[in-house]
Amino acid sequence: MLPAIMSVLALLMLSPLKTFMVKGPQNKAVPTQFLPFDNIGVKGLFLGLILAIVISAIYCKLINSNWTIKMPQGVPENISTSFKSLIPIILITIIIVIIKYLMSLTQYGDLNTAIYSLLQVPLQKIGTSPWAILLVVILNSLFFYFGIHSLAINSIVMPILYALDFQNLAAFNAGHTVTNLITWRFFYMTSKIGGTGCALGLVIYLAFFAKSKQFKMLGRLSLIPVLFNTDEPIIFGLPIVLNPIMFIPFILAPVVSFLGSYACELLHLVRPVIGFALPEQTPVIISGLIQSGPAFAIMQVIMIFITALIYLPFAKIADKKALAKELNA
């Protein structure tokens, strides 16, 4: 718990204070400092991630190097643990204070502004590129095809796209126009309809139209999880992993869905998502209604149909092989 608490405290310590004037006694203007929310929100996103990693690493290194105060036997464990962490906490705090002072001498004034200016703004420009996110969509399916969870790639782009969601939500709440077309919510609602690979269309075919008992049962068992964007049952049960028959549609379906949805945004057929922090397991169509409106939900239905057509010829081949095995058995 202590590294986590220290990370939060470090974020607060390194976030710059702002000053505004309030009325004091006899209506005199009195300067008052406050911590603006944007520095511990969108602008502080990358700083928070960096602090959590670095402070935890430093803390563990100091503890493992025995830079601690050792209490004699007989002292209660909670007290000895507190004293054991005292030196690492003091050293980390000193480092934070030094960094804060050194950054005050720069043109940025504080570490928060420096990181946001040098790192997050350029990355967000990359993140808004449809071709960069298209590559992420392809890598999502490619990684999962080889049995590696898509979080391996999503963890890199998630903070960038989340920040764009937060900007959209702030604009929506303020009554302004929502400007970011590609955000994390848009990415998830278009390239993961039913989970990685847009597998909902495939599962609908298996559940209601497959001829082999194996695939029909697998489709019906997987239908409810896939409706909540959890497609591991079909990825490892069909399987899609290392299955040459399913490689092409597993890569192609989310690409078509993402590009088609993005084109609908560019043509103003649907509104950009407003960035509500809904659970990623929010069912398709419902997520579209909440995040954008009926047009987006209708577009999702169309994408389910299109991705089902992409999977159809390959699913028939796999179903035919499974049926032949059942008949031979």
Side-chain angles (χ1 to χ4, degrees), residues 197-219:
C198 290
L200 180 55
L202 170 63
V203 171
I204 291 174
Y205 168 78
L206 295 179
F208 300 105
F209 303 104
K211 295 182 180 180
S212 67
K213 293 181 180 179
Q214 174 192 348
F215 281 4
K216 187 180 290 290
M217 180 60 68
L218 177 63

Side-chain angles (χ1 to χ4, degrees), residues 11-324:
L11 178 63
L12 296 176
M13 290 173 66
L14 291 172
S15 296
L17 296 175
K18 291 186 178 180
T19 303
F20 74 107
M21 308 303 289
V22 297
K23 288 184 178 180
Q26 301 177 351
N27 290 329
K28 289 185 179 180
V30 179
T32 302
Q33 288 188 320
F34 70 101
L35 182 67
F37 277 107
D38 58 347
N39 289 324
I40 55 174
V42 177
K43 288 183 68 175
L45 188 63
F46 273 78
L47 178 59
L49 290 170
I50 292 168
L51 288 174
I53 295 169
V54 173
I55 288 178
S56 298
I58 294 174
Y59 180 89
C60 292
K61 183 69 175 178
L62 292 173
I63 291 291
N64 293 332
S65 299
N66 291 321
W67 284 53
T68 60
I69 297 175
K70 296 181 180 179
M71 302 298 290
Q73 292 183 352
V75 176
E77 184 179 353
N78 58 336
I79 296 177
S80 62
T81 301
S82 300
F83 274 91
K84 184 179 181 180
S85 304
L86 195 58
I87 291 178
I89 288 174
I90 291 173
L91 291 175
I92 290 171
T93 304
I94 292 172
I95 293 172
I96 293 169
V97 172
I98 292 173
I99 291 174
K100 186 177 181 70
Y101 172 72
L102 292 176
M103 290 306 303
S104 68
L105 303 177
T106 66
Q107 60 177 337
Y108 301 106
D110 61 88
L111 185 60
N112 201 334
T113 303
I115 291 176
Y116 184 77
S117 302
L118 298 174
L119 180 63
Q120 188 163 349
V121 171
L123 283 175
Q124 283 182 354
K125 290 180 180 178
I126 296 173
T128 57
S129 165
W131 307 116
I133 303 306
L134 179 62
L135 177 61
V136 175
V137 172
I138 294 171
L139 290 177
N140 265 244
S141 295
L142 192 61
F143 273 44
F144 234 144
Y145 179 80
F146 290 101
I148 303 171
H149 201 282
S150 55
L151 280 174
I153 184 69
N154 288 346
S155 59
I156 299 172
V157 299
M158 191 183 297
I160 304 167
L161 297 181
Y162 253 123
L164 300 177
D165 265 317
F166 296 154
Q167 290 177 3
N168 278 7
L169 186 58
F172 175 77
N173 289 332
H176 300 154
T177 302
V178 175
T179 56
N180 295 319
L181 298 184
I182 298 178
T183 68
W184 174 255
R185 300 297 167 187
F186 176 82
F187 164 79
Y188 209 92
M189 291 162 53
T190 57
S191 69
K192 291 180 176 289
I193 297 177
T196 303
C198 290
L200 180 55
L202 170 63
V203 171
I204 291 174
Y205 168 78
L206 295 179
F208 300 105
F209 303 104
K211 295 182 180 180
S212 67
K213 293 181 180 179
Q214 174 192 348
F215 281 4
K216 187 180 290 290
M217 180 60 68
L218 177 63
R220 292 177 180 178
L221 289 172
S222 304
L223 187 58
I224 292 179
V226 169
L227 286 173
F228 290 89
N229 300 322
T230 303
D231 61 349
E232 279 81 358
I234 200 71
I235 287 177
F236 296 103
L238 187 64
I240 292 176
V241 172
L242 297 178
N243 185 344
I245 296 174
M246 306 306 297
F247 177 77
I248 292 176
F250 192 61
I251 302 291
L252 184 60
V255 168
V256 171
S257 180
F258 172 77
L259 290 178
S261 302
Y262 182 65
C264 289
E265 277 192 323
L266 291 177
L267 296 172
H268 304 290
L269 299 177
V270 298
R271 293 180 298 179
V273 299
I274 57 179
F276 278 134
L278 297 174
E280 289 164 357
Q281 287 72 34
T282 303
V284 64
I285 302 175
I286 295 176
S287 62
L289 283 171
I290 296 174
Q291 294 282 13
S292 179
F296 202 101
I298 293 171
M299 181 192 71
Q300 286 181 310
V301 173
I302 294 172
M303 292 305 163
I304 293 172
F305 180 74
I306 292 173
T307 53
L309 290 179
I310 293 172
Y311 274 108
L312 183 60
F314 303 93
K316 282 186 173 181
I317 294 172
D319 185 35
K320 186 177 180 180
K321 287 188 174 183
L323 180 62

